Amino acid sequence: MVYPFKYIAETWTSESDRFIANAMYQMLGIDTWTGTGGLMIGKPCIAMVMLAASSTGSALEAGVMPVPTSVNALGGCWEGQGTVMGKAVAIAVNAYPIVQDAMLAVEAASSALADPQDQYAAHLVFGGTGRPSKTGAGPIVGYWADSFGGASAVAGRGESKADGFDITYQYPDKAYVNRWRILGDHLTWQIVTRDRKSVEKPFASYTLSKTACRPLAGG
């Protein structure tokens, strides 16, 4: 049996004229596969195949700061569960390099366990702005966009660490601090709000495990 993931990768190599050569023209986004907890994911996996198959190494332009190693460790596909403002959800995260490996893009999709039609999606981008220190710390920037539309889109700044990275997105009334930690095939993603007095309150917390990337039904 030939799986779609393998077929696409092999065809990309042997019959590349059948594809748009620039993978950035492929449509990235949440699609219509319903999996554990009713998650809606799909097209990012196909895009990841095309991006991986078309690259044999780093394509960074000269002088471009690389994505920190601890941020790149997020690359791949993850699934798990968590809570958002006390609501239990299932979540999937797909992360892949973009713009000639100069940035890392992340697609996240979640749905409430109690109501799979209650869904949310986010598209995140991360990049390095300076060389990490010997401890792995280094400045990073990012951008947050989600299914609430343009009004919630915002840039972020943070720092990579030896076991992950932190990044803060500042809104007019409060900041959202995202703490990503990666240990082997396990990922934790915690979000807290921070007010103007630097008081933090829990907002969301997820625990995920690495899973095989594959094109999914409806993708």
Side-chain angles (χ1 to χ4, degrees), residues 8 12 16 18-29 43-56 59 96-101 105 107 123:
I8 293 171
W12 178 274
S16 58
R18 295 176 60 186
F19 297 84
I20 296 175
N22 187 345
M24 291 307 298
Y25 284 97
Q26 308 305 321
M27 177 64 72
L28 302 182
K43 286 178 182 174
C45 289
I46 297 177
M48 289 170 66
V49 175
M50 293 178 174
L51 287 164
S54 63
S55 176
T56 56
Y96 48 91
I98 59 172
V99 289
Q100 296 183 334
D101 299 338
E107 305 283 355
H123 177 80

Side-chain angles (χ1 to χ4, degrees), residues 21-96:
N22 187 345
M24 291 307 298
Y25 284 97
Q26 308 305 321
M27 177 64 72
L28 302 182
I30 305 306
D31 214 328
T32 56
W33 175 73
T34 302
T36 303
L39 293 175
M40 309 289 283
I41 57 179
K43 286 178 182 174
C45 289
I46 297 177
M48 289 170 66
V49 175
M50 293 178 174
L51 287 164
S54 63
S55 176
T56 56
S58 176
L60 283 178
E61 297 284 350
V64 174
M65 290 298 173
V67 178
T69 301
S70 59
V71 178
N72 262 335
L74 183 59
C77 300
W78 310 77
E79 292 182 5
Q81 295 187 356
T83 58
V84 181
M85 295 184 291
K87 177 174 60 179
V89 301
I91 184 169
V93 169
N94 294 343
Y96 48 91

Side-chain angles (χ1 to χ4, degrees), residues 182-202:
I182 305 160
L183 180 61
D185 291 339
H186 300 282
L187 166 68
T188 60
W189 177 12
Q190 296 184 330
I191 305 175
V192 300
T193 60
R194 180 186 292 162
D195 64 21
R196 294 173 181 173
K197 295 182 178 180
S198 296
V199 176
E200 294 187 355
K201 294 182 179 180

Side-chain angles (χ1 to χ4, degrees), residues 103 124-127 140-144 154-158 167-169:
M103 306 283 281
L124 317 178
V125 178
F126 302 110
I140 61 173
V141 295
Y143 195 78
W144 180 290
V154 64
R157 289 189 173 273
I167 188 164
T168 300
Y169 305 95

